């Protein structure tokens, strides 16, 4: 689709947040892509390194502009890192030749009523919602290949669905009794200044937030409902951690009658046998967020519970990478027919 | 019992670990106690501040000695901070005039077979085991008053039992379906050098450990079994956090038919209405470990789950203080007839 | 001065910041003081625990009010934790029966021209400036006893002046060649939401700030100039650390001809021999911020440099406690004729 | 030199430490290298991912072996990550066809007497010492091209020499009056279990160590002495930081008569104008360790001091990458005639 030797010209809308910076980090080394446009409406006119000094060494990054300034003729692919709700209108106004990868929540929920209920307002682009493809790559690769508008999954839903969908689909885990205790690094809360995410408020402690009311619950439920063919309601309890990157989800599940932990683990091993970015850990090795930090990798494992009939599923990802920008580039690679691991096949940074 | 104006003469066995240092921190300001003996067999002969430099300012702390050197005549109360298993023999050998507060696990489990199963060896002082009183102060105050040998509760069991025992006892929570997702600071792992607790292995990440095999599970089950009158098996999954102090337990419970979240919260509020160290937070305020850091306080709350019939109970303590040394001094105060809050009524250190 | 048995009635202006919370933490256990007024103009009407949840357990704290609401008749002592510049006018308007301890910078610099140069505006209460006593307790105790308006020293200046003033005064250190490399925890940056103090911007890294332009330089220079009788200009370079509390200052000094490291250390030992809160560490023990954390203690030491004629002076304090609120209460104790260590004689919290 | 299409076969000796893991992280994506041998004598027989679980996803990494087991015929290049002193004998015994990159200190000091003085023993391979090339790539590139035995620079010396050598060489900075205040992450202390590097001993605080006695001082002095043609003695004071990666060096220097800060900055800009990995930051932007984390980049800048005639030079690197394994691969690329940035041209990981 791309002319031989030509590069995909990329625009990143809302590049002044952490997911924008992570996209730049990845795309700087992408052999088939070039960053053509970076927008950040409140910081328009500034160099990108003045907003993210880690890029002081990178020559040739475009200056931040307002998205209204562009006619998008010289752009092939847009990554949209804007807040939910504002995103719909902006994407609706983009020309059709663009492939769009949306990192907000605006096109993730297929049911616009569910969207309205959880995100506090009517969906203003329901026709685009129908077109959008949900981009959990390892499970929806074929649909992604033909997508024009891609809804990049949420960070928590990525770590929950990758292990749970195969288990629920195989009938080994009862969808009625799922508890997800999630722990996330503070990048998930964004870069806007808030008292609650100051260093001194986050360091050296942990607390739950959004108890029984976090917006990622319906996204996970949507995936599991599709997998088992009936409506799923589950417990999802996120916690804020004194670390920048990483999500760990400890999922407490009830096995179906006759199902075993070994059987559950085998289902995951078979599902992900050929997947470069998903590793079912050997033996009783526990997934640790620090072991996937800075990478697009997913580590998971299944453990027996002492309580008969129960199992514990644990999954670790980097919320900014596989949980956001890494998966977004993975989706781009699939959408443009490139090798899927291009530019995201770097190793975790540990320690 | 103590002569007017005289002070309780204290010995701390195994003072070179974190719980020993926390006892010294607290007892330095206790108006009715004086630290007479500090033992640390591998560091005998060293000044205490050379082992814990934060005490460089404290005049008059005894030099570390070997516990074999003492005849205990001039001591009234022993805090034992030695590792489990070694503790039994040492306590057995102590003279009977001493009140003993044991911070190890050796006298916590009333059933010596359970002890043998979880701690890997026959109990060698079963007769003392019978005498030992389990010191969860707010729930066992009367028994503690007459105790000579006190088993100080484990850190995780303290944060689990304080909210769960009243709920199970009142019949509001089903003991068959309890899941405890616990998160602990690294002081819980002790001060002995291990690769797994190096800064670079703990910082900036989280992982579960002891999945379905942690020794604090039977201690919690013992307390809940007593509360409801039948054997309880539960899920207990601890995680290691990049922080020094603090335990947060997020407990997923199923309500008994007819029970409500409001009713559960009311039971806790009534149980702890007169308790200085236990606070049921108002409204939907979430307990945070950093808000009890460095203190003997317990913060807890109960939340509705989106899943019908379920509730979420959250409890935060400082594992070194209320979860170990603070509660140990609280027990000492009760055992010696002193005002219970003496020397432990300091505020949390936040930030 | 206070009636027998009566308590000093305290008002804390600007109590919603970290120094306000630290004052509350300390004063809650003060036997001769009671917190009568807490102001926080933007949060007036809220309970204090809703602003600082660590105080959820504390009964009887006053609700936050606006400072304009008070006539101060029932108050004896005001701690002012407001930002510099706004402070002058507010203090000027307070009635004369109040003793005032100002934690801002407004009354620290005796030369109002220096104030105007560094703080960007004319001083609007120069007559009060003359009255104000600078409260570095260990060095100015006598003047503090009679003070009505006390200027509480800055955090960095406290850690710099306590070791350097005696050395410069004794003529052992040349005031012309002093370099102070300072490292501070993030509480020093306050609780107002700013991008630069978000967890993700501070964690896991270090950087200098205010290079050759930090406002605490003239405050340190004022103290040293007084000590040696001539104008001092020095290098002061602060760094922001991924920790909440603590200041470490590594000071590179040139010894006067004939002076020795041993002599310098002896001067400090003699200066602080009777001081409970200042410890000159034995041998080559290095001061660590974590060993004074949460306390009013100061640890310092002097080291030989490999470069002939130079020495290294290191000092550690807790910036919120000895560097702000702890020293403020120490000053209050002196001003009201109470034992100086009342309510601040707690041990450091390590780990 | 390498046959067309063939790959450099790599052995990493002492691969079970942090620098070993960092080499594997980098070399996994090197298109012209393959990891053939990983040794770790105490963990021989174990899979590499059991020692470093972040590599659980990496297929085909060799199992850890003992270095005595190999005859090195199928190896082209050895990275030696063993402790100093043990390294000499092992490298001496390696066959001559191997190119050797030594990350220890054993071949860095050209004067074997200086080595003996600082490292506590006679050098046992002085003839190899003469052959060894010191690999500070940006300053010694030509010599490195022909090297067989390369001494990879120390982490602190890399961050000190890159800015200071050009300034001293140009005569703008007086070598007699240099003070280096260095701050390092805890990976610099290695992975061997020690009480002093436990999480709880490092978190939430800072302290100096090796005051006036750190072994990297003579290495820096060697570089500066060569640059100015006379013996240099300087102050070097390292501090241990609560972070895993990163070194910040704040260097306090005296300018030569007539020299200016602008002139000094210009010298650095010209020196590093064509260097991909060294960036002199624009304006007053301060180098931050977090902005080079996980990368081979060096950020530096020069600032005016308030003290006349003085300047402040600040430099930030990732101690594990540019300060160790990244620079080692950069050296390998030069030694094997490959594009210098191969496999190390990844962006910093921030946050």
């Amino acid at each position: 689709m791309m002319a031989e030797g030509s590069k995909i010209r990329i625009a990143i809308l809302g590049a002044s947040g952490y997911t924008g910076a992570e996209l730049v980090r990845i795309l700087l080394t992408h052999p088939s892509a070039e960053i053509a446009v970076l927008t950040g409406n409140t910081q328009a006119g500034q160099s990108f390194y003045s907003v993210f000094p880690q890029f002081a060494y990178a020559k040739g990054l475009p200056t931040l502009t307002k998205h209204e300034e562009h006619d998008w003729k010289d752009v092939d692919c847009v990554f949209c890192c804007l807040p939910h709700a504002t995103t719909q209108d902006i994407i609706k106004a983009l020309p059709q030749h663009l492939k769009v990868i949306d990192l907000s929540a605006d096109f993730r929920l297929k049911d616009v009523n569910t969207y309205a209920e959880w995100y506090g307002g009517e969906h203003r682009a329901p026709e685009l919602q129908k077109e959008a493809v949900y981009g959990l790559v390892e499970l929806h690769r074929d649909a992604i290949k033909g997508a024009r508008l891609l809804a990049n999954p949420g960070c928590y839903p990525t770590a929950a669905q990758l292990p749970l969908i195969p288990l629920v689909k195989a009938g080994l885990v009862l969808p009625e009794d799922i508890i997800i205790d999630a722990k996330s690094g503070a990048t998930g809360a964004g870069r806007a200044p808030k008292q609650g995410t100051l260093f001194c408020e986050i360091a050296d402690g942990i607390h739950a937030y959004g108890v029984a009311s976090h917006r990622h619950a319906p996204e996970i439920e949507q995936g599991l409902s599709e997998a088992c063919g009936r409506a799923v309601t589950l417990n999802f309890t996120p916690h804020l951690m004194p670390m920048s990157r990483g999500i760990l989800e400890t999922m407490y599940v009830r096995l179906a009658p006759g199902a075993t932990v070994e059987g559950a683990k085998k289902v995951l091993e078979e599902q992900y046998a050929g997947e470069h970015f998903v590793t079912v850990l050997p033996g009783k090795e526990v997934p640790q967020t620090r072991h996937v930090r800075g990478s697009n990798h997913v580590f998971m494992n299944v453990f027996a519970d002492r309580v008969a009939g129960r199992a514990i599923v644990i999954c670790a990802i980097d919320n900014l990478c596989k949980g956001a920008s890494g998966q977004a580039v993975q989706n781009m690679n699939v959408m443009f027919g490139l090798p899927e691991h291009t530019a995201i096949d770097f190793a975790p940074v540990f320690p």
Side-chain angles (χ1 to χ4, degrees), chain A residues 37-193:
Chain A
V37 172
L38 295 171
T39 81
N41 281 27
T42 61
Q43 284 135 322
Q46 295 183 34
S47 65
F48 196 60
Y49 78 72
S50 71
V51 176
F52 281 112
Q54 72 265 35
F55 296 113
Y57 75 91
K59 315 278 190 290
L61 279 177
T63 296
L64 283 164
T65 46
K66 298 194 180 202
H67 60 81
E68 295 87 346
E69 296 174 20
H70 296 279
D71 64 5
W72 311 112
K73 281 188 187 145
D74 291 336
V75 170
D76 303 304
C77 180
V78 166
F79 290 90
C80 190
C81 302
L82 296 164
H84 68 85
T86 65
T87 298
Q88 303 163 39
D89 294 326
I90 288 167
I91 290 183
K92 205 157 56 170
L94 291 174
Q96 287 286 315
H97 78 274
L98 293 172
K99 288 186 189 277
V100 177
I101 297 167
D102 180 24
L103 284 82
S104 88
D106 269 11
F107 296 100
R108 291 180 195 153
L109 296 177
K110 291 177 188 167
D111 181 342
V112 291
N113 294 324
T114 306
Y115 178 88
E117 176 191 343
W118 284 85
Y119 288 88
E122 287 302 299
H123 203 288
R124 293 190 301 279
E127 67 293 354
L128 279 180
Q129 176 58 67
K130 281 183 206 120
E131 182 193 348
V133 173
Y134 187 77
L136 198 54
V137 191
E138 285 78 6
L139 299 178
H140 305 127
R141 190 173 282 121
D142 286 342
I144 295 164
K145 281 176 189 166
R148 192 194 70 85
L149 170 57
L150 187 120
N152 206 55
C155 51
Y156 287 125
T158 295
Q161 293 178 96
L162 283 172
L164 289 182
I165 284 180
L167 295 176
V168 164
K169 205 170 211 168
L172 298 183
V173 158
L174 298 182
E176 290 77 21
D177 195 354
I178 293 175
I179 289 162
I180 303 175
D181 188 292
K183 298 94 175 167
S184 175
T187 46
R191 206 187 195 195

